[in-house]
Amino acid sequence: MAGIILGLMGGLGLFLYGMKLMSDALEKAAGAKMRSILEFFTKTPLRGILVGIFFTAVIQSSSASTVMVVSFVNSGLMNLYQAAGVIMGANIGTTVTSQLISFNLSAFAPAIVMAGVILSMFCKKNKVQRIGEVFLGFGILFMGLTSMSSSMSVLRESPEVVEIMGSLSSHFAALLVGIIVTTVLQSSSATVGIILLLAQQGLLEINICLFIIMGCNIGSCVSALLAGLNGKRDAKRAALIHLLFNLIGTAVMYVIFSLALDPIVHLIKTVSHMDPGREVANAHTMIKVVEVLLLAPFNKQIVKLTGLIVRGDDAKTGENFELQYIGEKSVFSPTTAVFDATREMERMGHMALANLERAMNALITLDEDDISEVYQVEKQIDFLNHAITNYLVKINQTTLPVDDKQTIGGLFHVVNDIERIGDHAENIADAAKSRLERSVEFSDQAKRELSGMLDMVIKITTYALDMFSNNNQEHMQEILDLEDQVDDAERILQESHIQRLTQNECTASAGMMFSDIISGLERVSDHATNIAFSLMEDDPDERRKEQKMAAAGK
């Protein structure tokens, strides 16, 4: 008996490891692309359901997809109505695993493992290595199934085991077993896989399997609930949508099965050609599809119910030294980690840009409140700089999608560029304070020139932040043109201010201050250009050279 138990444990270990390896590799290989699909194709509940099915079928994990959805809601990328559709679709997509398991591919497992080893060990391209890991995980999964199946075939001969399994006749007890086992394993697919093997060995009847599967549906909600626990209110509501969908769906299916169990079982057996493994897989898919068909029309009502359970609005944290999209109060998912960091950096960038405008206003109006506010916001920008940098270091050590892993270096540079823009705003506030204390006067012409240059800098920085955070290349050429215009303006204004000095139209103190400020604004323009092109292969300097050569050719 000890050998049988060890065989079961070893087989289960291989099965769970294979599933995790396969899921992680798929997520790393396709996570960034799947994120784009989720972002752009979830505008309606039906599209959300279809995307949820496709996404979960690809990464083979409803837990991963629902955690990602909770993260998207926490980041503001997706609203609750869109999330509800994706979560419903994910519940159907997760049944693909049981369908694959039901086909006896164990004989091919060694060959699949060998293919995975060759691809992951001997290929240099990251994406090919990830595909190799997918094959490796898939093969290990089936080798684990083979080991468990062999042990269970021996257990089938034990009268005590047959009696224990046969005693599981209570529908509610079977439901509880499904909840408990799935909560422990953190994978409904793994639990359904075990049920499938037990059914194949004749240790479980399909009528009991149906209720255990329904329990698996509820147990699978634990991952999303844990993910939403530290998130904002909408993240908690997204996790709650998953739980409510499965609770309500399970309750409805429980009543239906209790009232019409025999005809339903007969239908499943007929469709599955009396194959116990196929019966479990088809039952799993059928339950999920029926639940979605029943509850999809009540999408809005489920979302509103989560609002009644989790009351209140998310507190605005823009003026506090807090992180909004990353950190302890956010939902961490490797697939959305870079996206969340980008959102936090976008927030930091707009904060630095607004502070630059505030500092320039203070320079002209000598408003002491504005000067004080600039220093206060600069402290928050410094806080965000350190927090985001630490977060980037942390996620760089995790298993990120391949495309995201390649962008980490650029993100470090962007944080630094944004922080430098904040420093230039502080320098201008220093000049405003000095001007106030020393009664330094600017001529009307100098004020107009500063205002004109600031307008260009604000424009290029706004375009740059949009290009960085949204990958919007609509204003790419304008950014390059504006950067040249700012450079030209800085040279012209330096000459203009020298002329005013020589003609005694301004004081030496005002002239030095003016010169430092326009130099600082020109450097802000440089930082903005760096931000715009930080995640692109194009070098802006090379692009300018190409433009000049093309112009000369004309």
Side-chain angles (χ1 to χ4, degrees), residues 112 115-117 119-120 127-137:
I112 296 172
V117 169
L119 290 174
S120 59
K127 289 190 176 180
V128 177
Q129 290 177 351
R130 297 292 175 261
I131 294 171
E133 289 175 7
V134 172
F135 277 97
L136 186 58

Side-chain angles (χ1 to χ4, degrees), residues 49-71:
I49 290 171
L50 295 175
V51 169
I53 293 172
F54 172 71
F55 180 78
T56 310
V58 169
I59 69 168
Q60 293 286 293
S61 174
S62 62
S63 296
S65 57
T66 49
V67 167
M68 189 184 301
V69 168
V70 171
S71 176

